[in-house]
């Protein structure tokens, strides 16, 4: 079994551990947000962590009704600009806690008196020690280059913060139950392996999602890129109509992240349009009806709100990427040209 497979299977315990470890921190951060009258959030991250940050944007804005901006760290590191973040909550997300450009955004925040929060899997990292608060992934060391358990831990921590601050007990409860439900996804391994065998020779793939599952489309494309070397690209379903749809023809293969929920009708309409121009359509969904007419995909039997289905969808995607890598004779634990800790400035 590869390291990536092992770490995928560790996620039920990781998701439980990360919430349990940080319960007091959620309370303290929420209290500080209210005391400081925070009106904006700026969140900085790279790679998979940036996709977790994107999920947080959807969750925090829709639940807490406070605007969230995704930082461009190069503003600090390339242009030496210092932003006025004094009325903001500045968040940095990095599994290693060593991302230099993300650290620069936090340093900017500290200097101007912002409320600061880091989310890492490293208690001894600079980011963890420099911020007012730290949410610890508590995932043990991640050995595979492709992030799996640290990504879902980051999403879980950020989602729980959004639910806690907005006093949404239902979403908090659902987040604590995800780990118990993941065995239902793991049981789909034979179907996922069959899908990998069928599509192992793909040269390109377009991954589409909307709302809280748009970040999952981004993460799915990244996992496919780094483990299989397939030219996978992601796009928000709504943006896809603004130009990219023109590249679609009978030689195009797409993957829709399309669970039941707020984006269901939009994804159904997009599926029909893609099929109408002859594209191949794969789908990850929890609605059998949505899969009708698709060329293939994975249907899982778990329900949840738009804040919960991203976890199920991304675990399916992780398993498929790993299976595709192995089917292509590759090692998903050691992608060419990549290393576990990437230091960008």
């Amino acid at each position: 079994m590869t390291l990536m497979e092992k770490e995928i299977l560790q996620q039920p315990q990781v998701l439980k551990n990360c919430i349990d470890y940080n319960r007091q921190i959620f309370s303290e951060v929420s209290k500080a947000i209210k005391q400081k009258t925070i009106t904006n959030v700026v969140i900085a991250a790279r790679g998979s962590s940036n996709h977790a940050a994107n999920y947080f944007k959807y969750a925090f804005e829709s639940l807490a009704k406070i605007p969230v901006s995704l930082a461009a760290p190069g503003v600090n590191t390339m242009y030496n600009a210092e932003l006025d973040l004094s009325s903001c909550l500045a968040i940095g997300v990095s599994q290693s806690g060593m991302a230099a450009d993300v650290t620069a955004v936090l340093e900017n925040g500290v200097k101007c008196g912002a409320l600061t929060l880091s989310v890492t899997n490293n208690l001894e990292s600079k980011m963890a020690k420099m911020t007012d608060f730290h949410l610890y992934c508590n995932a043990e060391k991640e050995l595979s280059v492709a992030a799996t358990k640290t990504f879902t831990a980051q999403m879980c921590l950020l989602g729980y913060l959004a639910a806690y601050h907005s006093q949404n007990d239902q979403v908090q409860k659902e987040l604590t139950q995800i780990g118990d439900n993941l065995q239902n996804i793991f049981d789909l391994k034979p179907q996922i392996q069959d899908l990998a065998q069928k599509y192992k020779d793909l040269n390109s793939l377009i991954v589409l999602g909307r709302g809280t599952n748009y970040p999952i489309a981004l993460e799915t494309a990244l996992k496919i890129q780094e483990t299989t070397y397939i030219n996978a690209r992601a796009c928000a379903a709504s943006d896809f109509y603004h130009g990219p749809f023109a590249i679609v023809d009978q030689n195009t293969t797409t993957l829709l992240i399309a669970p039941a929920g707020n984006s269901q009708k939009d994804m159904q309409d997009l599926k029909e349009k893609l099929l109408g121009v002859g594209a191949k359509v794969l789908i990850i969904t929890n609605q059998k009806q949505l899969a009708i007419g698709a060329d293939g995909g994975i249907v899982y039997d778990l329900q949840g709100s738009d804040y919960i289905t991203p976890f199920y969808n991304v675990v399916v995607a992780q398993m498929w990427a790993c299976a595709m890598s192995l089917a292509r004779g590759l090692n998903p634990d050691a992608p060419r040209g990549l290393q576990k800790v990437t230091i960008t400035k």
Side-chain angles (χ1 to χ4, degrees):
M1 182 180 289
T2 66
L3 293 172
M4 185 178 179
E5 290 175 287
K6 290 178 182 178
E7 289 170 348
I8 288 171
L9 295 175
Q10 290 169 9
Q11 288 176 110
Q13 190 61 49
V14 168
L15 294 177
K16 180 181 184 299
N17 290 349
C18 74
I19 291 177
D20 288 346
Y21 185 93
N22 292 281
R23 287 191 184 277
Q24 184 60 34
I25 304 300
F26 295 129
S27 175
E28 292 175 1
V29 174
S30 180
K31 183 178 179 180
I33 290 172
K34 294 171 184 175
Q35 288 180 338
K36 197 171 173 62
T37 319
I38 295 298
T39 57
N40 290 278
V41 179
V42 174
I43 186 166
R46 292 292 193 191
S48 290
S49 297
N50 192 49
H51 304 157
N54 210 315
Y55 165 81
F56 174 73
K57 175 179 173 64
Y58 281 97
F60 202 75
E61 287 188 344
S62 60
L63 290 172
K65 310 298 190 294
I66 296 176
V68 177
S69 300
L70 298 175
V75 169
N76 295 96
T77 58
M78 291 176 61
Y79 298 101
N80 300 314
E82 291 190 357
L83 306 183
D84 181 4
L85 304 177
S86 56
S87 64
C88 297
L89 167 62
I91 305 177
V93 188
S94 166
Q95 72 86 19
S96 67
M98 297 169 61
D101 45 2
V102 176
T103 300
V105 175
L106 290 176
E107 288 173 337
N108 183 165
V110 170
K111 187 174 181 179
C112 67
L115 181 66
T116 55
L117 168 68
S118 56
V119 183
T120 83
N121 195 38
N122 184 355
L123 288 169
E124 299 304 314
S125 65
K126 181 177 181 179
M127 285 175 56
K129 293 182 176 182
M130 70 182 289
T131 50
D132 296 313
F133 300 101
H134 176 238
L135 289 172
Y136 176 46
C137 291
N138 199 18
E140 298 185 344
K141 187 174 183 179
E142 190 170 59
L143 300 175
S144 180
V145 169
T148 53
K149 62 180 181 177
T150 56
F151 173 72
T152 51
Q154 289 170 348
M155 277 211 313
C156 189
L157 291 172
L158 291 166
Y160 201 93
L161 176 60
Y164 186 94
H165 185 67
S166 61
Q167 299 181 325
N168 191 311
D169 294 338
Q170 180 60 32
V171 173
Q172 290 178 59
K173 180 181 178 181
E174 286 184 294
L175 285 165
T176 63
Q177 295 171 339
I178 291 171
D180 293 334
N181 293 333
L182 284 182
Q183 187 60 48
N184 290 272
I185 304 296
F186 299 153
D187 289 343
L188 296 172
K189 183 176 180 179
Q191 294 96 306
I192 292 171
Q193 288 178 322
D194 288 346
L195 192 68
Q197 282 293 330
K198 185 175 180 180
Y199 288 95
K200 66 180 180 179
D201 295 323
L202 277 178
N203 292 315
S204 62
L205 179 69
I206 299 173
V207 189
L208 300 161
R210 191 164 191 201
T212 56
N213 278 286
Y214 166 53
I216 304 310
L218 292 169
E219 180 64 10
T220 299
L222 177 59
K223 286 292 151 292
I224 295 293
Q225 289 169 353
E226 61 188 351
T227 62
T228 72
Y229 313 145
I230 292 169
N231 181 16
R233 291 173 288 168
C235 189
S238 51
D239 287 333
F240 197 62
Y241 292 111
H242 293 266
F245 197 95
I247 68 173
V248 177
D249 59 22
Q250 65 272 18
N251 298 313
T252 304
T253 301
T254 62
L255 172 63
L256 307 188
I257 311 297
N262 292 30
S263 65
Q264 180 175 341
K265 185 181 184 305
D266 292 334
M267 299 307 292
Q268 173 71 35
D269 291 345
L270 178 56
K271 183 192 77 172
E272 298 302 330
K273 287 182 172 65
L274 289 166
L275 291 171
V277 296
K280 290 184 176 64
V281 177
L282 309 180
I283 193 165
I284 297 175
T285 184
N286 57 358
Q287 290 290 301
K288 291 181 180 179
Q289 185 175 354
L290 276 172
I292 294 174
D295 296 279
I298 299 297
V299 180
Y300 59 89
D301 188 23
L302 289 168
Q303 302 304 313
S305 70
D306 275 25
Y307 308 104
I308 305 304
T309 56
F311 291 87
Y312 304 141
N313 294 326
V314 80
V315 174
V316 172
Q318 291 168 353
M319 293 173 67
W320 190 49
C322 187
M324 287 267 281
S325 179
L326 294 171
R328 289 164 70 92
L330 302 171
N331 179 4
D333 294 332
R336 65 190 182 202
L338 301 180
Q339 54 190 0
K340 184 59 182 175
V341 178
T342 304
I343 306 297
T344 53
K345 296 182 180 179

